[in-house]
Amino acid sequence: MSGTRTRLALWTILLCLLWGLFPANLAAKSQEGSPSEQTTSSENKQQKSAAATASSKKSSSKTPGQSSASTEEIAAAKASGKVWVNLDSGVYHKAGRWYGKTKNGKFMSEDEAKQAGYRESKRQ
C-alpha cells in the first residue's frame, strides 16, 4: 500500500513539473516563428511604441481640468505663487502632498480660486 502511495506522489510531482514547464515551451516556440512573422511583430511593436509616444506627447500638453501636472509645471506654478485646485472636491492646495497631483485639477492664483468658490485645504 505504501508503494502505491509513493508512486502516486512521484507521478503527481512529475506532472506538476511538466505542467509548469509547458507554458514556457509554448512561449519559446511562438517566438521562433518565420522571419516574415518576426518582421510583422517587430513592425507592430514599433507602431505601438509610436502610438504610446504620440499619446504621451498629447498628455503633456495639458488643458485646464486635466489630470496631475508635470514636474516642470509644478515648479513653474510654485515659483509664480499659484495654487492647485482640485476641481472634484472644491479645495485648493498651496503646497504639500496633493499640490499638482490630483486627477482633476488646474493651477490658478489664490484670488481666482477664492472668487470661483474654492476653499483652502485644511491639511497640507
Side-chain angles (χ1 to χ4, degrees):
M1 187 82 168
S2 99
T4 305
R5 286 185 183 176
T6 304
R7 275 187 256 139
L8 180 63
L10 289 174
W11 277 109
T12 304
I13 292 171
L14 180 63
L15 286 173
C16 289
L17 288 173
L18 289 174
W19 186 262
L21 295 175
F22 187 71
N25 290 337
L26 282 179
K29 286 182 181 178
S30 68
Q31 291 177 353
E32 291 176 359
S34 67
S36 62
E37 290 175 359
Q38 289 178 354
T39 305
T40 305
S41 65
S42 66
E43 289 171 357
N44 289 340
K45 288 178 185 176
Q46 288 175 350
Q47 289 174 350
K48 287 179 184 178
S49 67
T53 304
S55 68
S56 68
K57 287 181 181 178
K58 288 179 185 177
S59 65
S60 66
S61 58
K62 295 189 184 342
T63 59
Q66 283 190 340
S67 63
S68 60
S70 69
T71 308
E72 296 84 20
E73 291 172 321
I74 293 171
K78 278 186 182 180
S80 62
K82 293 189 175 185
V83 297
W84 176 258
V85 178
N86 182 343
L87 300 173
D88 292 334
S89 67
V91 173
Y92 66 87
H93 305 273
K94 292 181 180 180
R97 176 181 177 188
W98 300 110
Y99 189 83
K101 301 256 179 6
T102 60
K103 279 187 177 180
N104 188 17
K106 64 180 180 177
F107 290 110
M108 59 174 63
S109 70
E110 189 172 359
D111 292 334
E112 290 173 336
K114 286 180 182 178
Q115 288 175 356
Y118 298 109
R119 61 182 175 81
E120 184 176 354
S121 171
K122 294 179 183 174
R123 299 181 218 157
Q124 293 298 327

